[in-house]
Amino acid sequence: MSIENLLLPRKKELLKSWFDLFVRAYAPEAAVMLKGESNQFANPVGQTSLSAMADILDEFLNECRIDKILPPLGRIIRIRAVQDLAPSRALAFIFLLKGLVRQILDGETAAGKVSHADLAEFDERVDGLALAAMDIYSKCRDSLYEIRIGEIKNRTNRLLLKAQIIAEVPEHKSERHDN
Amino acid sequence: MAKLPKPSELALDYTLPKKGWMDAAVDFRPGTWSHAARAKNLEAAGLPNARQWSPADSDWKLPSNWKQIIFEGMRERLEKFRSLRIFMDICVRCGACADKCHFYLGSGDPKNMPVLRSELLRSIYRGEFTLAGKIMGSIAGARELTENVIKEWFYYFFQCTECRRCSVFCPFGIDTAEITMIGRELLNLLGLNIDWIAGSVANCRHTGNHLGIQPHAFKNMIEFLADEIEAVSGVRVQPTFNRKGAEILFITPSGDAFADPGTYTMMGYLMLFHEMGLDYTFSTYASEGGNFGMFTSHEMMKRLNAKMYAEAGRLGVKWLLGGECGHMWRAVNQYMDTMNGPADFLEVPKSPVTGTIFDNAASTKMVHIVEFTADLIRNGKLKLDPARNDNLVMTYHDSCNTSRGMGFFEEPRYVIKSVCNKFHEMPPETIREQTFCCGSGSGLNNDEFIEMRMRGGLPRANAVRHVEERHGVNALSCICAIDRSALTTLMDYWVPDVTVYGVHELVGNALVMKGESERTSDLRGDPLPGMEASEDENI
């Protein structure tokens, strides 16, 4: 029996443990709120993260299709990318799955139902998830700088146009430019 | 030498200092603070201790008697503002406000909890101004004033957008925004401001608006927008400037004159005024509705507010019409009467089109444009074709200052629903008096603060994403210039398929003007719904 098959019936337990560890990156006061408040508008970080982690696990323990994993992974990484966390800290929660799975399947491992090869294969998938998260994180940071530049352009572009410091080619050849 | 950390150590080791909050020093990491006010801007605004410095420096070059300045500043304000003393004394730390702040929700930093942000000041108040604090010290919640406390104040009081969402939930009605305002005011006594605010204040006093756009450039810019209107509608609008004897002085944030997407909102105003034949003028000196003085000190707020009224007096207008702005309205509605008001030399505003008398503005003599337009629509004075906005599935963001600062909920919705056929509200706990801030208000909409702004704007963006997923919303409207700019950036990061509009841009799109040519594009030059094909033919 594969690790995934053993984990599927215990998905809730895995999710709860993973989320419990996830909120430990935050201050104790915040962790209480992130775990305790179930209204998604009163607790956007906690609820978005929890539902994204649930969606990630759903797919991760099944077919592990990249197009199904990237959207929820994106939801959670997009938040982490603007929080007061170094990239290593922002992504470290993903690697915790390795230890959690060993903990949860401790009995099965002892009973010989889980081999070293199974665990190694699972670890590799976790690494794949982390690498995908790294791509997303990097894109989020890039977009942050892009929108920062866009904002400055929006603020001043018309002034530059009007001051005739820049003269762009008009988009439409309408009559107004002939008048 | 430290070893390479393991993922478990990185993930589980909470990074903020484990010391008690009173003793933990702030770490100034880029992205979470704004640049320091430049000396020339502080000098131009008449603010003290102008010098070159940065929050990242260890030495902030405070005056030698800084402690005395702060204590005297606190004493003066505690005597002057009874509300401040009450806010200092009355909090029982019940925590009702704790999880209501958008910065706390987005960051998880406990010092962004309104109660704790206030404690930053309150702890010093207790230590210096209460007997219990003097005797029992930290047991009574008091602490000593040190340079680290000043740095902490700077960090957190410039991480609060003064949105007042927390105060809605306070059982005692403590206005935490006013605590931030006083905190910033005290910091300004030491020359501690951010340049985005100090520069705007200096330019506003000196030239008339935040960017320092000079009169000829301001006039040219508005006329440039008149050209754009003519290209879209075939109608030539004729705005006037500094015209004495006009009935109405129109003042709007300068962002509407030069910053996209505010410029499209300005086009909407100009079209509406032309269509109604309004006898109005712009002032090139009172060319700024925004009042960044409000984010500096009450004296500075008063000075910048006063120049609008000085211009009204100089030009001899009867009353003022104000554009889509946030904090200008809070200054006018909440504070102006006890600063510069009542403006008795002006007349109680009366719509020249409908005859409606705006009694609510009887003292300030200043009417909000959305109120004015809602009255026009209510009286059937506008010919509107909302189908021109049919490509937009709209929602509405209540700006903090117009909603919580003046109870302005129905008028904008009435106008939007009159000019847009498709409208969906965001969830009730995120709108009206409970609205979430854009995360960039109170002078924090600068680019170096972008990371913190994205954090603070997360709760708002989260609600927008909800209606995007549920109803296919692709447009977010608002009536505040900072919102128009900040929400555009916020959407780019969190909900990229949603575009931000000012309400009067939507009015301009829908307005059927006398003598207009067939409209094929909206005010942004994009094809109107159903006109996509004819646009192609033109090309």
Side-chain angles (χ1 to χ4, degrees):
Chain A
M1 197 181 230
S2 72
I3 282 189
E4 286 73 25
N5 286 340
L6 290 169
L7 285 172
L8 267 173
R10 301 169 74 174
K11 200 177 70 191
K12 268 191 182 172
E13 184 188 345
L14 178 60
L15 175 63
K16 188 184 174 303
S17 309
W18 195 24
F19 188 62
D20 282 350
L21 293 179
F22 174 82
V23 300
R24 281 177 55 184
Y26 299 89
E29 301 90 331
V32 171
M33 190 251 313
L34 291 171
K35 281 169 70 176
E37 175 60 64
S38 60
N39 181 323
Q40 60 162 312
F41 303 108
N43 179 17
V45 172
Q47 286 302 305
T48 303
S49 303
L50 182 61
S51 75
M53 289 162 96
D55 291 349
I56 291 167
L57 282 185
D58 271 346
E59 193 56 34
F60 195 72
L61 300 180
N62 282 296
E63 293 177 64
C64 215
R65 291 163 298 185
I66 189 156
D67 59 326
K68 298 286 177 192
I69 284 194
L70 289 186
L73 190 60
R75 289 206 301 275
I76 202 165
I77 300 301
R78 189 156 285 272
I79 294 175
R80 304 283 273 188
V82 291
Q83 292 192 321
D84 208 3
L85 302 162
S88 55
R89 285 185 191 275
L91 304 182
F93 74 97
I94 291 170
F95 295 96
L96 301 183
L97 279 172
K98 294 180 182 178
L100 275 178
V101 163
R102 281 166 174 76
Q103 235 174 306
I104 287 174
L105 298 182
D106 191 33
E108 285 83 348
T109 310
K113 289 182 190 167
V114 177
S115 69
H116 286 299
D118 290 337
L119 285 170
E121 201 269 327
F122 182 84
D123 288 351
E124 214 169 9
R125 285 171 77 166
V126 173
D127 293 341
L129 186 66
L131 290 171
M134 199 189 294
D135 285 344
I136 296 173
Y137 184 92
S138 170
K139 273 186 198 160
C140 287
R141 295 299 301 187
D142 285 348
S143 74
L144 206 57
Y145 293 108
E146 277 167 21
I147 60 173
R148 190 173 167 184
I149 294 166
E151 190 172 63
I152 296 168
K153 281 185 186 166
N154 280 345
R155 276 186 187 137
T156 51
N157 229 30
R158 277 179 183 263
L159 278 177
L160 294 175
L161 268 174
K162 191 58 212 125
Q164 296 184 332
I165 290 168
I166 54 173
E168 291 176 359
V169 175
E171 262 181 55
H172 303 290
K173 287 182 180 172
S174 61
E175 289 150 16
R176 62 181 140 143
H177 299 291
D178 302 330
N179 287 341
Chain B
M1 187 180 286
K3 287 186 180 175
L4 202 61
K6 295 171 186 167
S8 57
E9 290 164 354
L10 289 170
L12 305 180
D13 183 15
Y14 166 55
T15 56
L16 288 180
K18 290 186 174 66
K19 287 181 185 172
W21 70 263
M22 283 189 180
D23 305 315
V26 168
D27 176 22
F28 282 86
R29 211 175 65 77
T32 59
W33 47 271
S34 307
H35 294 326
R38 282 183 287 177
K40 73 179 180 86
N41 289 326
L42 289 185
E43 276 166 5
L47 292 165
N49 199 26
R51 76 228 176 271
Q52 187 73 29
W53 71 287
S54 164
D57 298 342
S58 57
D59 179 8
W60 282 19
K61 300 175 189 167
L62 301 182
S64 56
N65 62 338
W66 67 269
K67 219 180 240 193
Q68 183 195 350
I69 293 172
I70 290 292
F71 284 141
E72 282 175 8
M74 285 181 77
R75 186 166 292 111
E76 181 194 332
R77 282 157 186 79
L78 285 163
E79 283 166 13
K80 198 186 288 180
F81 306 120
R82 187 161 169 263
S83 56
L84 177 63
R85 189 172 281 276
I86 291 171
F87 295 162
M88 289 292 103
D89 283 332
I90 203 173
C91 175
V92 294
R93 286 178 269 185
C94 70
C97 63
D99 56 355
K100 305 304 185 293
C101 171
H102 49 289
F103 280 121
Y104 177 58
L105 294 182
S107 70
D109 180 348
K111 286 185 186 172
N112 277 322
M113 290 193 285
V115 55
L116 198 39
R117 195 186 288 111
S118 302
E119 283 293 312
L120 304 181
L121 183 61
R122 220 175 252 129
S123 54
I124 303 303
Y125 163 76
R126 289 200 196 97
E128 183 68 16
F129 298 95
T130 70
L131 188 61
K134 277 180 181 166
I135 296 169
M136 295 194 286
S138 61
I139 298 167
R143 65 171 168 167
E144 192 193 340
L145 180 62
T146 62
E147 278 197 38
N148 275 345
V149 170
I150 295 295
K151 290 180 179 181
E152 187 184 47
W153 282 6
F154 180 87
Y155 190 75
Y156 287 103
F157 289 139
F158 286 103
Q159 253 180 40
C160 164
T161 47
E162 303 181 3
C163 82
R164 295 172 88 219
R165 187 172 192 266
C166 49
S167 65
V168 170
F169 297 89
C170 175
F172 296 99
I174 296 173
D175 189 338
T176 315
E178 290 197 347
I179 295 177
T180 292
M181 289 163 94
I182 291 292
R184 289 189 184 187
E185 203 168 304
L186 294 168
L187 288 168
N188 267 284
L189 298 176
L190 303 179
L192 301 172
N193 200 339
I194 63 172
D195 201 56
W196 192 256
I197 294 176
S200 300
V201 165
N203 288 333
C204 205
R205 281 192 75 198
H206 188 261
T207 314
N209 52 66
H210 291 165
L211 260 198
I213 303 169
Q214 299 186 64
H216 63 283
F218 183 81
K219 180 171 176 281
N220 281 354
M221 200 65 223
I222 305 284
E223 283 170 351
F224 178 66
L225 297 176
D227 293 344
E228 301 267 301
I229 291 170
E230 192 171 5
V232 170
S233 69
V235 176
R236 182 74 202 178
V237 302
Q238 306 280 357
T240 63
F241 302 88
N242 302 325
R243 180 165 60 87
K244 289 190 175 176
E247 181 181 356
I248 299 164
L249 171 60
F250 178 63
I251 301 176
T252 197
S254 61
D256 289 352
F258 63 84
D260 294 340
T263 45
Y264 308 115
T265 306
M266 176 69 94
M267 288 163 73
Y269 304 146
L270 296 172
M271 294 164 83
L272 178 78
F273 298 162
H274 175 87
E275 189 60 16
M276 292 297 100
L278 220 59
D279 177 17
Y280 78 102
T281 190
F282 283 96
S283 159
T284 54
Y285 180 55
S287 49
E288 181 59 74
N291 185 338
F292 275 29
M294 186 170 158
F295 313 136
T296 303
S297 67
H298 63 275
E299 289 95 347
M300 198 59 76
M301 166 167 51
K302 181 177 177 174
R303 281 182 219 171
L304 297 187
N305 175 271
K307 94 184 163 68
M308 303 200 301
Y309 286 85
E311 274 295 84
R314 186 180 72 83
L315 297 172
V317 301
K318 291 182 180 168
W319 54 280
L320 294 115
L321 184 62
E324 294 184 16
C325 182
H327 61 270
M328 166 172 82
W329 288 104
R330 186 155 163 217
V332 167
N333 264 272
Q334 243 182 309
Y335 301 115
M336 184 201 143
D337 248 356
T338 49
M339 296 187 309
N340 301 316
D344 283 340
F345 64 98
L346 297 171
E347 294 180 16
V348 176
K350 178 182 173 183
S351 170
V353 185
T354 65
T356 299
I357 294 170
F358 293 96
D359 286 324
N360 56 322
S363 178
T364 63
K365 315 292 196 289
M366 190 158 187
V367 174
H368 194 295
I369 188 156
V370 172
E371 220 170 359
F372 181 76
T373 304
D375 175 63
L376 292 173
I377 297 172
R378 186 85 170 170
N379 285 285
K381 300 294 182 187
L382 299 183
K383 193 172 173 194
L384 299 166
D385 179 6
R388 288 178 183 171
N389 287 319
D390 270 356
N391 53 331
L392 306 177
V393 186
M394 186 63 60
T395 191
Y396 174 66
H397 161 77
D398 290 272
S399 304
C400 306
N401 286 302
T402 51
S403 58
R404 284 187 283 268
M406 63 189 286
F408 205 50
F409 304 125
E410 301 308 329
E411 292 88 340
R413 288 176 167 79
Y414 177 71
V415 174
I416 292 165
K417 287 176 186 173
S418 302
V419 297
C420 290
N421 287 320
K422 301 167 190 170
F423 179 81
H424 298 277
E425 290 280 15
M426 284 182 271
E429 60 268 55
T430 70
I431 55 169
R432 295 177 183 262
E433 67 268 29
Q434 294 188 49
T435 189
F436 275 117
C437 178
C438 64
S440 302
S442 80
L444 303 184
N445 52 327
N446 59 70
D447 67 285
E448 68 267 19
F449 199 58
I450 191 89
E451 191 175 312
M452 200 65 205
R453 288 169 51 197
M454 293 305 105
R455 256 182 249 176
L458 167 59
R460 168 41 77 223
N462 182 52
V464 176
R465 190 176 56 220
H466 176 77
V467 284
E468 186 215 19
E469 287 170 356
R470 179 163 290 194
H471 303 294
V473 161
N474 61 9
L476 172 64
S477 54
C478 58
I479 53 168
C480 164
I482 288 180
D483 279 340
R484 268 191 292 284
S485 157
L487 289 174
T488 298
T489 309
L490 194 71
M491 291 302 111
D492 282 348
Y493 187 75
W494 293 110
V495 204
D497 292 330
V498 171
T499 308
V500 177
Y501 294 82
V503 168
H504 275 77
E505 177 182 352
L506 306 169
V507 171
N509 280 339
L511 187 67
V512 180
M513 301 174 78
K514 290 183 278 293
E516 71 176 17
S517 50
E518 188 193 10
R519 297 248 203 125
T520 55
S521 62
D522 65 14
L523 300 187
R524 299 188 184 205
D526 295 327
L528 285 175
M531 290 293 175
E532 294 86 353
S534 62
E535 279 281 305
D536 291 343
E537 283 162 19
N538 285 342
I539 294 167

